[in-house]
Amino acid sequence: KRVEYGGGAVSLILNILWIIFSGIPLAIEHATFGLLFAVTIIGIPFAKQHFKLAKLALMPFGTSVF
């Protein structure tokens, strides 16, 4: 799947509020799980997805997933 970031001023304001209140802990959690899964060969595809989700957890408003 592909994630495209976009949006306008409202998305920017909502993303800033999201980052302050709950985006950072969620992104850290996904990054931690990504590092844990990356240790094994079988877990590498799952690690890639967790890193995508970590980026998406920081800025969810105004994004489109294809």
Side-chain angles (χ1 to χ4, degrees):
K1 300 286 180 181
R2 214 177 61 229
V3 178
E4 290 184 4
Y5 295 94
V10 177
S11 296
L12 176 67
I13 293 169
L14 289 174
N15 279 332
I16 291 172
L17 290 174
W18 175 261
I19 288 172
I20 291 170
F21 290 112
S22 61
I24 291 174
L26 191 59
I28 290 171
E29 181 180 349
H30 278 296
T32 303
F33 281 124
L35 289 173
L36 289 174
F37 279 119
V39 173
T40 64
I41 293 173
I42 295 172
I44 290 174
F46 298 106
K48 287 181 181 179
Q49 295 304 314
H50 272 288
F51 291 132
K52 282 184 194 177
L53 287 173
K55 186 176 177 184
L56 186 61
L58 283 177
M59 298 181 298
F61 297 102
T63 60
S64 300
V65 179
F66 297 102

